[in-house]
Amino acid sequence: MAAKQPPPLMKKHSQTDLVSRLKTRKILGVGGEDDDGEVHRSKISQVLGNEIKFAVREPLGLRVWQFVSAVLFSGIAIMALAFPDQLYDAVFDGAQVTSKTPIRLYGGALLSISLIMWNALYTAEKVIIRWTLLTEACYFSVQFLVVTATLAETGLVSQGILLLLASRLLFVAISVYYYYQVGRKPKKV
């Protein structure tokens, strides 16, 4: 018996066969939109991701605010550590200091926070920037509440204290604004 001859092999040109190419891309899972609405051109970009997605889009003035905060925290910390009497006198307008130790401890805590602020100034990670902004907002809020409670107890109202309270409210508002701006999802381009 004669063996049946197989049909001649036809070379398939998948580069020119549009239907075949689309089927292959569908099987690989590329070319369509993913959950975030991004269209990946290759499997590699789909697996590795798009580096633009991870870049922090900084709100206008964020780095200036971080620098001002770091300088502010450092300056007050050094003043509280080196000159506790003058710092207390500037805030509470001539009231006598009973002990320098709490003011110096306050200066040490502020110096620690200022080191965090200085390091956050040089980072590009969104989470670290947000945590430092939240730390600032919490610090200024607690300071506002403590000074307000002290005013209620002592009844001492001075221009320095009122200026301190107003500045703390302003600093809370700025820190919270930048906290939410850094946390926003970027708009699709």
Side-chain angles (χ1 to χ4, degrees), residues 63-78 110-111 113-122 136 140:
R63 295 299 180 173
V64 173
W65 173 246
Q66 286 181 306
F67 178 74
V68 167
S69 296
V71 169
L72 181 77
F73 274 79
S74 299
I76 294 175
I78 290 169
L110 276 186
L111 190 62
I113 294 174
S114 75
L115 291 175
I116 294 169
M117 299 298 166
W118 283 112
N119 285 324
L121 182 62
Y122 300 107
E136 285 181 64
F140 290 133

Side-chain angles (χ1 to χ4, degrees), residues 114-135:
S114 75
L115 291 175
I116 294 169
M117 299 298 166
W118 283 112
N119 285 324
L121 182 62
Y122 300 107
T123 188
E125 292 187 42
K126 191 192 303 191
V127 175
I128 294 174
I129 294 171
R130 290 190 81 210
W131 271 106
T132 55
L133 290 167
L134 186 62
T135 301

Side-chain angles (χ1 to χ4, degrees), residues 59-60 133 137 171-184:
L60 190 63
L133 290 167
F171 294 161
V172 167
I174 293 171
S175 295
V176 167
Y177 168 76
Y178 282 125
Y179 175 80
Y180 283 112
Q181 289 299 314
V182 170
R184 277 187 10 195

Side-chain angles (χ1 to χ4, degrees), residues 50-68:
N50 189 355
E51 71 275 357
I52 297 170
K53 179 166 70 172
F54 298 111
V56 177
R57 201 172 148 153
E58 297 176 352
L60 190 63
L62 172 67
R63 295 299 180 173
V64 173
W65 173 246
Q66 286 181 306
F67 178 74
V68 167

Side-chain angles (χ1 to χ4, degrees), residues 48 67 101 113 141 145 183:
L48 294 178
F67 178 74
T101 304
I113 294 174
S141 299
L145 293 173

